[in-house]
Amino acid sequence: MVFKPFTHLARQSLGKTLTHGYAQSVVAATQSSYASTTTPFGPFSTHAANKFSKHGSSQLHSTFQYPSTPSGATPSYGQSSVPEGARGDGGLAAYYEAWQKQQRSNAGGKEWKQFQFPLRIGWRAPSTLPDAKEADKDNAARLRPDALLDRSGLNRAYSTSAVDDIKEAENVATEAANLAAVDDAIAKEISTFQATPTLIATSPAPAVSVVDTPLEQQSGCVVDISPSTRPESINTISSSQDSRPLTDDTVPTAYSLTPTDEILRLREDGRFAEIPAVFESMLARGIQPSMEAYNGLLSAAIALPAPRHHVVSKALQIYTDVLRRRVTPDTVFYTALLDLLSRRAIEVYQAKKAMNIKRSRFGIVNLDSSFLLPSDDSEFAILLADDALRHAVTVFNAAISTSQGQSFSSELYDLLITACALHGRDEDMIRIHTHMEENQVVPTASMFPPVIEAFARTGDLRSAIECYGGYRSMAMQHDAGHNSLIGRYDYSVYATVVKSFLKCGRSEGGYHFMEKILNSFDSGTEAGKARLEAAQDIIVVDGLIQHQIDIHQFEKALNLAESRNLTPSARNKVLARICSVAADQGDRTTAIKSYNSLEPTFPDMSMVALSLLAMEIRSGRLDEACNFWPILCGHSNRQVSLLEPTTMYTIALIKHGQIDEGMILAREAFARIRTSVGTATAREQAKEKIDEVIELIGKSLDVPHNVPSPQAAVTLLGAMTENNGPVSPVSEQLLAGLGSAEISALSWQDVLLVLRIEAAMISGGTFLQDMGHVARFEHLLHTVIQRGLTLDEITSEHVERALSSLGDQRPDIAANWRHPRHMASQSQVASMVGSPAPSLALNAPASYTDAYDPYAATIDHRDSNIIVAVLDNTRSRRSVNLDEALARFRNMRRGGRRPRYIVYSKLINAAALEDRADVIVDLLGAARQDVPLQSQYPSVREGWSSILDSVIGACLTVGNRAAASAYHQELLELGSVPSANTYGLYITTLKESAQTLDEANEALDIFSRAMKEGVEPTSFLYNALIGKLGKARRIEEASSYFAQMQRRGLRPTSVSYGTMINAMCRVSDERHAESLFDEMEKAPNYKPRPAPYNSVMQYFQTTKRDGQKVLEYYSRMLSKKIQPTMHTYKLLIDTYATLEPVNMPAAEGVLGMIRASGQRPEAVHYASLVHAKGCVLHDMAGAWETFNAATANPEIRPHACLYQALFESMVANHQIEGIEGLLGDMTCRGVEMTPYVANTIIHGWANAENIAKARDLYKSLKIAKREPSTYEAMTRAFLAVHDREHAREVVDVMLSRGYPAPVTRKIQALLDHAGSRAMTAGPTHPAA
């Protein structure tokens, strides 16, 4: 036994309160106003969801009603020494007091009278009927599907008083006294019951019915029994009445299904929302709920969507009602409840850990709170008060004490033990584990690491080692074939043991243990090396290094990470962990050093940048912090975490006087946060958090020296409008700073925005407190009339409502607004919106020199150079560079300056590469506004020529060819033409321009047009043309243009050589391909690139089938220090696996080469192995094994090439019958059908003469997705069954798509050849 030496520590403390049913019913409802303020919940009253509930709506109460006292009054006899507000015994204490009083007042002289316990859920007197209106209300409440599971609960932010109430409610001494009193009452009650068995047998059970109070007035409970609705007749119910409650067995036969069966059916169908209504109807008909019905109700409580702490509260309410009705919970019920509670306990531990990190990282900014956002304080208080684990232990004690031999599943024991280990409840952990061993339940391996760490946390290394010894013996039995352990966590257990040694001050033992484990792995084989690497990564990272991180020895942790032989992936992860924690703890030196050691391609760089940004802001280094903001914004998968850093960074910018930049940054970040959230509920929560951030920004602006400019104020107002609307009092504070001069300086969009907000405030009555709103509103209307602006529908509605609110106080404003002669026409407004106001320079004489630029005075050369340098930076990701450049560009424009023309062009090109079409439009609009075209100035014409040329190229890059044509025409009207590179883009983007066309002829037409327009060709233009000609196998023309390029003095680049080599390989011109390859390597301007090597390797692999040549060029590639690409590794696999002699171990070893290079194998590499095993070796078992290994690997995304390889293997081995099943799996995994997969399947079904399925698959492919090979496959399929007519239809469709003649000629030849054979053989009859 792992924990046998410690089983004496186990204790049961709260089992009696549950097993004897003394838990205060949280399902029973409020009975009096007195009870609502004085009576707690009972054993579960300290649950966090209950503590934070509001009185009257989300809090549940119970009180004792006596037959001799009016409703709501306290009895005049037998006052208990336990305060009324502290009772939680479900009425037994009152019963005991009444019995004592009866004994003292009349020792058996009077006739015995049944004591009335607190009435159960849904009680209503049978002799009192409500009127019709009340009955309708009852029916409406009863039919609500969420009647039993009311979802009313906590708001996002909680008041300070609500948090204080929790602390006041937790009085440990009072609880202990109450428990002692209840235990005493239990003993006396049991003796009383034993002495009077006949009374128990004849005691009537109260009837059950529906409620008289609307369910929404109760805190998630079922019913409310108010004293005012309780008739006096119930106080004298005779004990002789047969009031046995109905059960499912006594339900009238008119019902086709019993309520329990209906609940079970709904649970099986997943219709959980309907279960509460059925349960209500069961109570309304007076049926005693069975345990199966409660199981269904608990399943509904867990399954229905709600915050987790609300679900726990509902589940505890249901459990309490089960005990009050004296229904014995079964294993299913206990398992579901304990699973919920233990999972919640683990979630609370993890949430508290995350909140502590957040507090240390961001909390210093907000001095009024320990957290950055005030709502986080309340949320953290809820987590601190959460007692799901205490309830879980209590319920577990009740479960094992009520039934002998009670046991649970391995998973449940795992959850309970893990939760106890994380929360430091070692005694409960040991006791639960002992119970699991006594019932011979097979443990799960995942529970051992937290248990070992729990022992180490208390310094009990001996127990930790004994626990490891237990795991080791179980693992050895598991290896021997015994069912002694579920799952294996060997490496994590080793790491935890090493950390335990270090935590307990036994570092020598920890290192000795680690070396012993690592030396036990056999490193002589590939599998052994892989296991050794995996074990070393986990043990060193999670054991040695994590311990140093935990004790804040970050320098030692960094030295271990750099000295140990970790894999690149593990090294990056642990460096990121060291960097983040060191930054949070203020160790800037180690944090920056760790950050610099990270590889630039590390995928989770945003979280590292988040910690470093916060660290630099906390230390006041704003200039350093700005370097990490673009990295943080450049990772779209982390946009939700932008909330706190945005708040922190914005407030820091405001404090340093950069208010305009801070407002722009905040508004953009808010937009990212909203768009990154998926569900509507999460989006609303994000909006509430953003409003909270805006309040903090408003506080930072409420300082004398932090006065926002008009543009900054409007930016923040716009952020409010885009979110949930104006945030008071920040919006009033910003509007107060907008006088007439500030409004006059605003753009027309900003004027309309301010007008809309001001009008909304006036219509809401704000002007009654501050008449400045009216004056500002009047000036805004005057500005709109003066500028001739047209209001949109929403703004117009706000203005009309504001004028109505002003009423008779200012009729002059409405009169001036509605006067028609002041309004501009729609056309005037449209022209104003489309372009900025004309410049005075338009009327200037054209006598200036060609070098004159009318906008030269506003050029910011310094920032222009910085933006160009940022965009040209190759050390950062392009998206990061673009975001940083755009931020500087916007700041420049806010300051009234503009960049050079080349900056507009470079920004547009960068936005096109990131496929951000909206940014392209915005940049072009900014250019039209900043530097309007004035064609009389050559410098302006030249600048606009470069801008329009960039826009044309950008439109081609993002696939908008129609827009490119429009801007092309605009450029021609300007008297200029696109550049040669832009014409090259016209050629390279031909594939996306139409469904099909002869790309080679189209490319020649584009090239001819460029020459006619006087464009000086570049190597890029020639490369694009040669690439299209080579693809069409027009090698003579390709060679001619390659020579023409050289005659023009354009030196071929490595791209030019690669394009020609690829073209030569297409036509199998091996001699010229190798000659060009040698020439390329000797060229003085040669820049090593992998593409030419891949082209030659592919040629020798697929066409020449010469494996020695493939490996020769691979060696040349490595000698040039060129990093192989994923395609290179695929060619190596194909070479080893398909060319003689086949070397399958070497092919599989390429996967290890990929991992050694710091990359991960992709689906295409596994597809090559599947194809080789199935089609070359005809090893279908091996092909399926490789396919299943690839699809089971979570790091590999299922791809069509993987399925294509397996389909090809099945066709090659005549296993056509399995095609449909594999097609279904392909659809389930969301893999899209490609023409190449379809070709293989069509060929297979054609071989099986199943032409109908082949035709259906062919028709399911959209015409735009069909390739020439698809038409060839379908033509061959029809010809295989002698259906020449349908084959002709397929060929006609292909010819209509405009493919090049060399492509279509081959397929037409198939049809012609089949026709000649048919004429020679004579007519073919199907019957024959």
Side-chain angles (χ1 to χ4, degrees), residues 58 91 119 255 285 332 374 607 672 833 881 1016 1076 1096 1146 1152 1186 1204:
S58 59
L119 299 176
Y255 297 99
R285 286 147 54 189
V332 175
M607 290 306 297
R672 287 196 191 98
V833 173
N881 294 339
E1016 184 67 25
L1076 283 172
V1096 177
T1186 303
Q1204 180 184 345

Side-chain angles (χ1 to χ4, degrees), residues 423-704:
H423 286 269
R425 300 185 61 142
D426 293 350
E427 293 187 12
D428 294 325
M429 175 186 72
I430 295 170
R431 183 163 44 81
I432 294 172
H433 186 277
T434 303
H435 187 269
M436 179 186 69
E437 287 188 331
E438 290 173 351
N439 288 274
Q440 299 181 351
V441 178
V442 179
T444 59
S446 58
M447 76 177 184
F448 283 89
V451 170
I452 294 174
E453 190 164 0
F455 284 127
R457 195 183 303 120
T458 60
D460 192 352
L461 182 60
R462 178 181 177 184
S463 298
I465 295 175
E466 288 183 5
C467 183
Y468 164 72
Y471 176 83
R472 181 172 178 273
S473 61
M474 292 177 189
M476 294 174 64
Q477 294 176 16
H478 184 267
D479 291 339
H482 300 290
N483 186 23
S484 60
L485 194 64
I486 298 176
R488 296 294 288 271
Y489 276 75
D490 295 1
Y491 302 157
S492 297
V493 171
Y494 298 151
T496 311
V497 172
V498 170
K499 191 162 67 169
S500 299
F501 272 106
L502 299 176
K503 191 180 291 290
C504 296
R506 297 278 301 279
S507 57
E508 299 84 359
Y511 279 96
H512 176 73
F513 176 82
M514 181 185 68
E515 297 300 332
K516 183 179 179 181
I517 293 296
L518 295 179
N519 292 334
S520 66
F521 291 100
D522 181 14
S523 59
T525 62
E526 289 294 331
K529 289 181 180 178
R531 291 185 60 200
L532 177 60
E533 287 182 354
Q536 182 167 262
D537 285 349
I538 296 177
I539 296 174
V540 172
V541 171
D542 295 339
L544 292 180
I545 300 179
Q546 186 59 48
H547 172 70
Q548 300 299 332
I549 295 174
D550 292 341
I551 62 176
H552 296 173
Q553 295 294 324
F554 304 117
E555 186 67 30
K556 291 183 179 179
L558 180 59
N559 292 335
L560 286 172
E562 293 178 341
S563 61
R564 290 286 173 170
N565 187 22
L566 301 176
T567 61
S569 175
R571 180 178 179 275
N572 281 330
K573 289 180 180 179
V574 74
L575 285 175
R577 192 185 305 175
I578 295 170
C579 180
S580 296
V581 181
D584 292 340
Q585 297 302 320
D587 188 349
R588 186 175 185 274
T589 302
T590 307
I592 296 297
K593 190 175 179 181
S594 303
Y595 173 74
N596 293 331
S597 300
L598 281 170
E599 295 180 1
T601 58
F602 180 58
D604 208 12
M605 190 68 78
S606 60
M607 290 306 297
V608 179
L610 177 65
S611 301
L612 293 171
L613 175 77
M615 176 192 70
E616 300 291 12
I617 294 176
R618 290 196 309 268
S619 59
R621 297 183 178 90
L622 192 60
D623 293 338
E624 299 293 336
C626 68
N627 296 327
F628 300 107
W629 178 256
I631 301 175
L632 184 60
C633 296
H635 292 69
S636 58
N637 60 327
R638 294 288 185 182
Q639 296 301 339
V640 177
S641 65
L642 273 178
L643 190 68
E644 285 84 5
T646 299
T647 310
M648 196 177 194
Y649 193 25
T650 303
I651 294 176
L653 289 172
I654 292 172
K655 290 181 178 179
H656 285 75
Q658 303 178 34
I659 301 177
D660 288 46
E661 185 176 354
M663 297 302 101
I664 297 171
L665 178 145
R667 187 174 184 178
E668 293 175 351
F670 293 158
R672 287 196 191 98
I673 293 169
R674 285 191 299 269
T675 56
S676 65
V677 180
T679 63
T681 303
R683 192 174 298 110
E684 290 302 317
Q685 292 175 352
K687 287 183 177 181
E688 291 180 4
K689 289 282 189 180
I690 290 173
D691 284 344
E692 197 172 354
V693 172
I694 291 175
E695 291 181 15
L696 289 178
I697 294 175
K699 289 182 181 178
S700 64
L701 291 173
D702 193 16
V703 178

Side-chain angles (χ1 to χ4, degrees), residues 1145-1206:
E1148 293 177 336
V1150 176
L1151 301 180
M1153 295 168 57
I1154 298 174
R1155 296 188 183 96
S1157 67
Q1159 305 174 82
R1160 295 177 181 175
E1162 296 178 352
V1164 66
H1165 304 114
Y1166 285 93
S1168 295
L1169 292 174
V1170 171
H1171 176 83
K1173 291 180 179 179
C1175 298
V1176 179
L1177 301 180
H1178 296 284
D1179 179 13
M1180 282 304 297
W1184 272 105
E1185 181 181 357
T1186 303
F1187 176 83
N1188 292 331
T1191 54
N1193 191 341
E1195 296 181 351
I1196 298 175
R1197 183 178 180 182
H1199 194 272
C1201 65
L1202 198 57
Y1203 286 89
Q1204 180 184 345
L1206 191 57

